Amino acid sequence: MKSLKESKLSSSKEGCYCVPYTANPHFWAREEVLEQIGQALSPTNSTNNRQGLQTYALWGMGGVGKTQIAIHYAASSRDQYNTTLWISADNAVQLSQSFRDIAIRLGLVGSKEESEDTTSAMLRVKQWLIGTSHRWLLIFDNADDAEVLRHAWPQDAQGSILLTTRNSQVAFEKVADALQVEPFNDKDGSEILLKLTHLDSKSAINQDLSKTIAHTLGGLPLALSQIGGFINQRKIPLKDFLPLYQRNASKIDARKTGITDYEHSLSTAWEMSLSKLDGNAYLLQGLLAFLDPDRIDEVVLIDGFKNSDSSAPQFEFLSDEMDLLDAEEALLQVALINKNSETGILSVHRLIQAAVMRRLTAEERTVCFDTAINIITWGFPDTWSADVGHQHQSWETSEKCLPHVLHLVKQKEQYHLALVDADVFAQLLLRCCWYLYERECYDTALRLIDEALTNFTNKGTVAFSSAVELRGLIDMDMNFQNKALESFTRTMDIRTKLLDPDDGFIAASLTTLGIVHTELGNLDQAFESHQKAIDIRLRTNSDRIGNSYSNMSSLLLRMGKANQAEEMLKRCPSLQDFNDETFLKTGNPRFSGDMVLLARIRRQQGRLEEALGLASKALGFRQKLLGNRLKVCDSLYQVADLLQQRGSSATALDLLYECISISSSLTEGDGQYARANYKASQIYHEQGKKKESEKHLKNAKEMRRKISHEDTLKEEEESIELYDKLNLWMLW
């Protein structure tokens, strides 16, 4: 810290301006904060013309810009105060030295001996503040120690005090009002980064790249300033920075750029706070470095650990909510984490996570990583040790844990983390992928299931076979039927070697083989597989028999046997009442598939109005449960097709446009997009609207060409059958 003697100070007969920093010209987007400080402290504000101290605190993590805001408030409000004084309150020594230098500046000490007595100097300054008629502003910067601040506080004075601190307890204990200073959002962070790098802020490419960088840096002003200077001084193209940063983060974080005179670099901004942690607070901070930084639910930590197989007894405090709260308090006080007072959700800045990761030893990383894996596993049901079907009851919990799985994968890759048990990690990914598959998040599911398959050390287990099967199910929904058949065949081979012929997993494999053969048009093979599955499930009194009946019903319908399909569907134990409400009351997405199937049966039977009613209810159910996903597209098309047959072309077009809009945003939606466009083209052709018809036909053919991976399509007459082949026969 510069001494006041070394600073650029100005004084007058009325007072002095004793601030050891000049305002940073690279200061933006904090106007609202400055305005709030002014409303709370300005002596010219009529609401502040009362006796006593006017106090305000800025609190938040290191590097968030508290000191810079205080400097700018001091500079911008200079004409409102006769005297502005700056106290460096990092510790007792620096605080005493600041008071001594101010006492000298104000002419409150004479002899050399008096100036060396820092305690006397502090008392004289406090007395001056109490007795003066000047309008003064006193700034305590980095006042993280309540005890140090207590001795320096001018309790009976009349003036304005601005406090900056990382310690929220200090902020609310000493002042009338306080504001937590947050990092910038991605938009503001992007704009600031472009200003710092002097790049074209109107370029869409620059905007996208700078927003990505700002998000990676968590919008932290210190990070934006340091990284902006690094990019600018070295003339690094924005597109090249993130790959460079990923390879050299610790080296880049340790470099200061000279844009500001802030004493810390990114690598040291939280060093003091982190170095003081011990016990449960230290363990909690280490664990949080492995979880998604934005949404850490206490329920996940508490229930996750209670139900985990963790072998780390030092984390037992997580199972006690009071011990966890105590650990949180230690981190909250020094702004190493944040906590939403309404939801209780914890968050930690990404750069603090990185700083923690650098401080952890290799052994500590391994223990924290393994503990996090075991905790998060709780959030996903076991779908591989038993044939359990849909687990929609657990979706809410799984949704809370999903971001943490993605972060664990990211941290493992970035820091080359060692696994205590690779199979446990693979099983977590497998559980998570079943949830993603049920929610139709196919892109993410594919990435994680491939990661799981890689991490399994034993390729001959039931768990591994379930991962292979899930890979096939995802491929099947995405209409890669031959790939799916390969996976299902491999799954059956593994299970046949491990399990009894009547085991539930053997029946499950026969079912998936039956489904994929149905999709491929191998109907005799499909029938044989489904019948074998039914026989096993009847012999073992399996509660999964309804699943077999539904799939056999779908096959019979494809064979053109609608009445037999209906009779088979009626055998499902859960559908014995057999009215349309039966399908929906459970909330199970599988039953909406049964309703879709029944609608298609009714259509083949020529009962169009019943079919339309069933298809419409299934659509509503899927929209509510799944959102804008692939199965909703399938239902939108089915209802639109029935409406067209009934003569309601306008409503049908509305649904087709909705289908086109949704499917165009889905990687797996190309077939739905092509078919919906072709159907729209047909309707417009019937209406004599040639231009609209040709437009949609062009869209349909271009997408069919893309799917077929052919530059030119075979010379064949366009038909709805061609576009039906681009989609599953039955999307459950």
Side-chain angles (χ1 to χ4, degrees), residues 640-697:
D641 189 32
L642 290 166
L643 285 168
Q644 183 207 11
Q645 290 189 51
R646 197 180 69 168
S648 303
S649 296
T651 308
L653 281 171
D654 287 340
L655 295 182
L656 289 172
Y657 275 119
E658 188 175 352
C659 179
I660 290 169
S661 175
I662 296 171
S663 60
S664 66
S665 65
L666 301 175
T667 303
E668 64 276 9
D670 289 351
Q672 297 285 346
Y673 177 87
R675 184 172 64 176
N677 269 285
Y678 183 75
K679 176 63 71 172
S681 173
Q682 283 186 311
I683 294 175
Y684 280 125
H685 179 74
E686 291 172 359
Q687 294 176 343
K689 297 181 178 179
K690 182 178 179 181
K691 183 177 180 180
E692 290 85 349
S693 177
E694 290 178 347
K695 171 188 172 184
H696 286 285
L697 180 60

Side-chain angles (χ1 to χ4, degrees), residues 310-329:
S310 174
S311 58
Q314 61 267 46
F315 284 97
E316 282 290 339
F317 72 93
L318 293 172
S319 61
D320 187 300
E321 59 182 340
M322 291 306 300
D323 289 344
L324 175 58
L325 288 172
D326 288 343
E328 289 176 7
E329 181 188 16

